[in-house]
Structure formats: C-alpha cells, structure tokens
Amino acid sequence: RKEVEQDPGPFNVPEGATVAFNCTYSNSASQSFFWYRQDCRKEPKLLMSVYSSGNEDGRFTAQLNRASQYISLLIRDSKLSDSATYLCVVNRGNTPLVFGKGTRLSVIA
Amino acid sequence: IAGITQAPTSQILAAGRRMTLRCTQDMRHNAMYWYRQDLGLGLRLIHYSNTAGTTGKGEVPDGYSVSRANTDDFPLTLASAVPSQTSVYFCASSVQQGNTGELFFGEGSRLTVL
C-alpha cells in the first residue's frame, strides 16, 4: 500500500460546482499535512496546510481525520482557474515530505 | 528575483552520456531536494540534503548522485544516462527539513534520454 493515496480523477465539474477530494495516508505517525496545487507543465506550489481543527481559505476548506487517516479538500464555487492537479502531502517528522500522485480537476464552462 | 533556478530547462541526451542538472537557490534554505515526476507515478524523491555538506537517498536514488558543497547549490548528476531516466526533474528547497510544509520548487528540467 502506498503511503499516500489519492483518486487520480479526472474530476470534471461545471463552473460554480462544489467538489471534494480525499486523500488517505498509511503511516499513523504522520504529523502534518498539506495540499499543493500543480498547473499543467508547471511546478507544484503550496495551496494550504491542513490543521487538526480544519481550516478554510476563501473557497477552499481542508479537513483532517486522524482516526481514519484521511485528509480532504473542498472547493466551493469552482472557477475555471481552479483546473489543476491537487497533490496531497504528508510529513512524518524529520524526513522529507511524501507526495501523493495527485487528483486532476477540470472545471468546465 | 528570489527563488530557485534550474538549468537547463530542457535537454535531449544520448544514452550513456553524463549529465548534470543544476539547481541554485538564493533563499538561504538549509534543505534541498531533487524529485522526478513521471506520468502516473507522481513526484518521487531522488536525493535530498538537510544542510550543506550532507546528503541522503530518497525513494529512487539509483543512477543519480548529488553534492552539497555550499548552501545555495545542489547539482544532480546522471553518470551514464539511460532512457528510463527520461522525466521532468524538479529541484526544491525548504527552510529546514522537519515539520515545515512549504517546499519551494524550481520550474523543472525536462530531460529526454534517447
């Protein structure tokens, strides 16, 4: 089992829709969690951290469920510009980050 | 402009040739990383360095070597390139390795080995 698993998609949604991605992680010692965004043929960039109590940044909401070992990303009121690949990232402590393979989102006009 | 610079941005290479991908950062970050990204396989860590003078192996280190002579530079060398090393290579840095989640990536180097 891969340490970080994501549904690769693609998720094709109309503008204005709400879409959610889940990510599961296998190592219960994982300490911190993040979502990165990667546009086509570009480098990944940090979208947001995921806090235990859940956190929101504009249209984006991240949740962590330690008991079930998954994190989620909810995007409300999808925009065309949200089309990208979303990478789930896990930190086990003093080791390099572990990246999921990503979930591809296409927002359609 | 502060950040990470990779070179070359793109290269076609004959199998068996030696190739060094360059990576320089001006943020004085302690930790640096090399990833390769392949379709369907995501980002895979090749080598990393927690601080100048130290390096470590990642998930897919075979066929690659790195050095970290100073804080700013972290070159990746393919001693004898093979077609399976065709990929997009990303260099990244972070303030330190640990609980920090923000990696800053370069724009990538597209390498094709024929």
Side-chain angles (χ1 to χ4, degrees), chain A residues 38-58:
Chain A
Q38 185 174 22
D39 293 302
C40 188
R41 300 178 75 83
K42 298 286 190 180
E43 72 274 23
K45 293 182 180 179
L46 179 65
L47 176 66
M48 59 194 302
S49 302
V50 185
Y51 301 123
S52 297
S53 56
N55 50 298
E56 195 173 299
D57 183 1

Side-chain angles (χ1 to χ4, degrees), chain B residues 38-93:
Chain B
D38 303 286
L39 193 63
L41 297 176
L43 280 165
R44 293 182 292 169
L45 182 66
I46 305 171
H47 285 287
Y48 65 94
S49 168
N50 288 337
T51 189
T54 69
T55 62
K57 293 183 179 180
E59 181 185 355
V60 288
D62 294 343
Y64 305 95
S65 63
V66 291
S67 61
R68 186 88 184 278
N70 56 61
T71 297
D72 298 343
D73 301 300
F74 191 43
L76 176 73
T77 297
L78 290 66
S80 179
V82 296
S84 62
Q85 292 178 311
T86 293
S87 187
V88 180
Y89 291 86
F90 287 103
C91 180
S93 73

